[in-house]
Amino acid sequence: MPETRCDVTALRDALRRDRLILENKFMQHGKAARLLAAHSKLIDQYLSRIWQQMAMPAHTALIAVGGYGRGELYPKSDIDLLILLDSDPDDSLQQKLHELLALLWDIGLEVGHSIRTIAQCINESADITVQTNLIEARLLNGNASLFDQLRCAVRQHLDPRAFFTAKLHEQQQRHARLDDADSNLEPNLKESPGGLRDLQTIGWISRAATLGTRWSELATAGLISSSEARQIARHDALLQTLRTRLHYLAHRREDRLLFDFQTSLAEQMGIKASLNRRASEHLMQRYYRTKQAVRQFNTILLQNLYDYLFRETQPQHALNERFRLIGTRLEIRDEHLFEHTPKAIFELFLIMQQRSDITDLTAKTLRALWRAQLYIDAAFRRDPFNRARFMEIMRQPAGIVHALRRMNQYGILGRYIPAFGRIVGQMQHDLFHVYTVDQHILMVVRNLRRFTLTIHAHEVPLCHKLINEFARPEVLYIAGLFHDIAKGRGGDHAQLGKKDARLFCKQHRLSRDDSDLIVWLVERHLTLSATAQKADLSDPEIIAEFAATIKNDRYLVALYLLTVADVKGTSPKVWNAWKGKLMEDLFQLTRRYMKEGATTNHLDEIREQAAATLNLYAISAESYRLLWAQLDDSYFLDHEAQEIAWHTRLLAFRANTATPIVKTRLSRAGTGLQVMVYCPDQRHLFACICEFFSRMHYTIVEAKIHTSQHGYALNSFQIMEVSRSDMAYRDLMHYIEFELTQKIMQAKPVEAIATGRVSRQLKHFPINTKINIEKDKRGLYVLSLIAGDRPGLLARFAQILDRHGIRLHRAKINTLGSRAEDVFWISAEMLDNPVDTSAFLNELLEKI
């Protein structure tokens, strides 16, 4: 380090060089704890030397606080300092302190500082964050006696019980803030539930309780075992390593495991991609399993610390020879119970389901339950008693989801069902799943249970009705447990998963009928969603083909319930009312077909229903006879009767208008808008409309395109808002009607389509565009497109159709997070020519 006080450049260069040496050494040995301690020591040396060179007064002290105070200084973290004074500073001292801090910043030290007296420190420590920093204070240089006075004052004013309560409340608020879908995909290594802050919280409370701060010290105090202390240390080390490497990769203080860095982190840590999974997915699985373990240890230690600090005497009540109640918490009477009586493991969960007065488990029981996974072996899994107990848990009227989640949290579910254990913590970078596979599976079971509750009946009323009429609903919960259990193995996970489901049903002695249904549900769990969102539900043949795959009404109801629960459990952003309507429509159409068979006069029936609705508005058949004569049969087959009636009311007396007619109404799906466009047909019309809605940040989820016999376009769109707008719906509807009309009247081709920004997830985990085209029975070509979703995608597609003279008849747009899975019904003579078709598809692959 340079000796000259004013040589800022030399100090800055030396600091940069010394930090680079530390980084290079870390990249060689990979031990984060060693790096953090070495970095803290290095900064200690610079600060002490500068403090001395600045000749700071003898009645002051330079103190490290926060993470720096405990000797864990991350590469890009702020350096938290307290400058302690014996009295308020005069002008001369204030000037000297200003020069000191300016110098520290000039040489590249990003310091967070406070300048206080002891009295001010104690006064400010009413803030739990300040108090936490002070209990980790460490003297760097200056007046040691003054520092000792501060430590004594902090200790005297520290109430361990109040400190525990405040830190627990702080953790609960932090978890509530960060335990969401976005944080799950790109977790904060420091702040997210199961992150470093959860471990630090234990350390702070333990320090306040004078129990020590190291995991080995907590083991000595009896709060955890030596084995548990070693496990926590390993998880702590992984989180420290990830955060350290993340700082170096980002070249800034970045604690979020962003998509931008996940692949690079995996590469740095020597994690390789496997045949079926990315290296980043393997890395994230390691992280999620550590996160789960940290949350578990955090829960156990907080319970133990609570018992140690508060030592409350609570009433005890024996439930049987194995369990008792202490207050409202369940406790095992022998801490080795699960070791010598493994059968009691499932009994514990059953008791919690059956006793609503039990709120939690004691710390002693939590620790035993964590160790209990070791006793679930092949013999345990083969035991008919344990199998019967597990099924008893699945058949309880309440508490099923809580039981399964707790089993998963303690590693028990994955030990009992080994196939489930393999997908614990497994993330899928498929651009629409935001939960790990095990979280998603349990979310699906949770959704199925949620359907049963009257308090949530308004969410999906049909599901509430159906599931409460469904005999033996455990069939659905088991199907939910197994529907994605084979993810990540390669091959068709539905086909692989049905084998696991079949084995489970056989082992647990389910009836033949229930076993067959569960296996069928696992195998077919994707079909209803795919058909509803990608097929033309107005085609009776589609309904007949789908119905032919379903054995009976019980199978149909089960598949519908599982499908809705599955889609709702994928991501909060994937489910919407439009998807719900499509699935319900398919369910109702299939159910009707299975009961009544094919309708021979479906076209006449639609016309009659539309006419009956129009009659309610006193609109005579004669007034719309000419309009209907211009519309071919495909129009009536493609639309519901209420849509036809709406169109007819708007157009019956204006069928030959030269002015475009654009009308909107609230979608009958419950969200979004339905837009009708009627005008003399023109080239570029569909591209123009797509570009208009893209610019408004609306997405088209369905388009029905028709051209009348007298050359008018009658197009109907279902649109959904991408981002929340402050504009009232009525104002928005008026805006669309006026502005879109003006745009159509201009009849200009769309030239430049705004592409917008690609999501970071799509940027780092791109989707290879896939296109398939085949002819259907009606002579139309069905084009299926899978691509990364981005602004302007549909408008660019429409432009390409225009260039090739291809007519669009219908489109179903399905967006799954950042993944687009769209289906288009198109026609053109050029599509009958393989060469022209190939050129068209190549342009799509190049420009979409």
Side-chain angles (χ1 to χ4, degrees), residues 684-702:
H684 317 300
L685 178 62
F686 182 63
C688 169
I689 294 171
C690 289
E691 191 274 337
F692 175 82
F693 286 126
S694 176
R695 184 161 44 82
M696 285 189 64
H697 303 291
Y698 264 75
T699 183
I700 298 172
V701 295
E702 184 176 61

Side-chain angles (χ1 to χ4, degrees), residues 179-231:
D179 198 10
D180 58 23
D182 291 335
S183 297
N184 205 46
L185 284 170
E186 298 180 300
N188 188 307
L189 292 168
K190 180 181 176 183
E191 301 286 349
S192 287
L196 285 162
R197 188 64 88 203
D198 282 5
L199 296 175
Q200 292 162 2
T201 296
I202 298 299
W204 292 324
I205 296 173
S206 301
R207 187 190 289 266
T210 66
L211 292 171
T213 57
R214 298 177 180 174
W215 304 120
S216 58
E217 292 174 322
L218 297 187
T220 301
L223 271 71
I224 52 176
S225 67
S226 297
S227 173
E228 290 167 338
R230 288 191 295 272
Q231 288 183 60

Side-chain angles (χ1 to χ4, degrees), residues 528-544 546 578-579 581-590 602 637-640 702 704 778 810 812 825:
L528 189 145
S529 175
T531 304
Q533 296 180 80
K534 297 180 181 180
D536 181 0
L537 301 188
S538 66
D539 184 350
E541 290 189 16
I542 294 293
I543 304 302
F546 181 71
W578 176 247
K579 285 186 173 70
K581 180 181 183 301
L582 290 176
M583 293 177 194
E584 183 173 336
D585 285 350
L586 177 57
F587 170 78
Q588 298 288 19
L589 288 168
T590 307
H602 182 62
L637 292 172
D638 281 355
H639 292 81
E640 296 179 16
E702 184 176 61
K704 299 175 183 177
R778 294 187 295 177
R810 187 168 189 161
K812 296 188 88 169
W825 286 261

Side-chain angles (χ1 to χ4, degrees), residues 425-470:
Q426 181 178 311
M427 177 50 78
Q428 306 165 83
H429 286 143
D430 55 13
L431 305 186
F432 59 93
H433 280 93
V434 299
Y435 305 109
T436 58
V437 181
D438 59 311
Q439 287 177 320
H440 165 68
I441 284 174
L442 296 183
M443 185 68 75
V444 171
V445 179
R446 171 257 196 189
N447 288 339
L448 289 166
R449 291 291 299 156
R450 193 177 176 93
F451 294 156
T452 68
L453 304 177
T454 303
I455 193 173
H456 300 299
H458 64 282
E459 295 175 352
V460 193
L462 179 59
C463 288
H464 176 69
K465 177 179 182 296
L466 293 173
I467 201 166
N468 283 303
E469 296 171 349
F470 194 87

Side-chain angles (χ1 to χ4, degrees), residues 134-383:
L134 289 176
I135 67 173
E136 293 186 309
R138 177 170 58 88
L139 180 66
L140 296 173
N141 210 311
N143 194 314
S145 175
L146 188 64
F147 174 68
D148 289 340
Q149 292 175 47
L150 173 67
R151 293 181 67 182
C152 290
V154 169
R155 172 54 59 187
Q156 289 173 2
H157 287 81
L158 177 63
D159 179 351
R161 291 186 175 187
F163 186 79
F164 174 95
T165 302
K167 296 308 290 185
L168 179 61
H169 180 64
E170 182 183 69
Q171 176 174 292
Q172 290 168 342
Q173 288 184 316
R174 175 169 50 81
H175 284 189
R177 186 176 72 252
L178 290 170
D179 198 10
D180 58 23
D182 291 335
S183 297
N184 205 46
L185 284 170
E186 298 180 300
N188 188 307
L189 292 168
K190 180 181 176 183
E191 301 286 349
S192 287
L196 285 162
R197 188 64 88 203
D198 282 5
L199 296 175
Q200 292 162 2
T201 296
I202 298 299
W204 292 324
I205 296 173
S206 301
R207 187 190 289 266
T210 66
L211 292 171
T213 57
R214 298 177 180 174
W215 304 120
S216 58
E217 292 174 322
L218 297 187
T220 301
L223 271 71
I224 52 176
S225 67
S226 297
S227 173
E228 290 167 338
R230 288 191 295 272
Q231 288 183 60
I232 300 176
R234 285 196 297 271
H235 295 304
D236 195 359
L238 175 61
L239 292 174
Q240 288 181 341
T241 298
L242 288 172
R243 189 182 180 205
T244 300
R245 291 186 181 277
L246 191 55
H247 278 206
Y248 282 134
L249 274 172
H251 303 292
R252 65 177 185 269
R253 186 182 63 198
E254 179 58 79
D255 295 329
R256 295 167 299 163
L257 262 176
L258 299 175
F259 300 128
D260 313 50
F261 306 117
Q262 289 177 14
T263 300
S264 299
L265 264 176
E267 182 180 336
Q268 274 196 12
M269 297 179 68
I271 300 173
K272 305 294 183 183
S274 60
L275 185 62
N276 305 306
R277 296 170 60 197
R278 296 181 173 97
S280 59
E281 291 174 331
H282 287 290
L283 168 73
M284 295 307 291
Q285 183 166 28
R286 286 182 62 181
Y287 163 76
Y288 287 120
R289 289 186 171 181
T290 282
K291 169 184 174 178
Q292 182 174 334
V294 168
R295 293 194 72 169
Q296 182 51 40
F297 280 122
N298 174 268
T299 301
I300 291 172
L301 283 166
L302 284 177
Q303 284 269 27
N304 274 331
L305 288 166
Y306 177 88
D307 292 343
Y308 175 84
L309 288 169
F310 291 86
R311 293 186 173 86
E312 293 180 347
T313 301
Q314 296 187 350
Q316 299 186 14
H317 171 63
L319 298 179
N320 55 37
E321 64 274 16
R322 293 171 297 282
F323 297 95
R324 65 186 173 194
L325 276 183
I326 298 183
T328 61
R329 292 187 292 169
L330 183 64
E331 180 171 87
I332 52 175
R333 302 179 72 172
D334 176 3
E335 64 178 330
H336 300 292
L337 171 65
F338 300 137
E339 183 178 354
H340 59 70
T341 311
K343 293 179 180 180
I345 296 172
F346 284 161
E347 183 184 6
L348 177 144
F349 293 103
L350 199 55
I351 290 173
M352 292 197 71
Q353 286 180 289
Q354 295 172 344
R355 299 279 304 241
S356 60
D357 55 332
I358 298 176
T359 59
D360 211 337
L361 303 174
T362 64
K364 172 182 173 182
T365 310
L366 288 172
R367 289 177 62 192
L369 199 56
W370 178 254
R371 296 191 301 269
Q373 59 183 296
L374 302 175
Y375 312 122
I376 300 179
D377 53 17
F380 181 98
R381 291 188 286 269
R382 286 194 302 268
D383 192 327

Side-chain angles (χ1 to χ4, degrees), residues 626-637:
L626 292 177
L627 172 66
W628 280 20
Q630 301 297 332
L631 301 174
D632 58 23
D633 291 349
S634 65
Y635 168 81
F636 290 95
L637 292 172

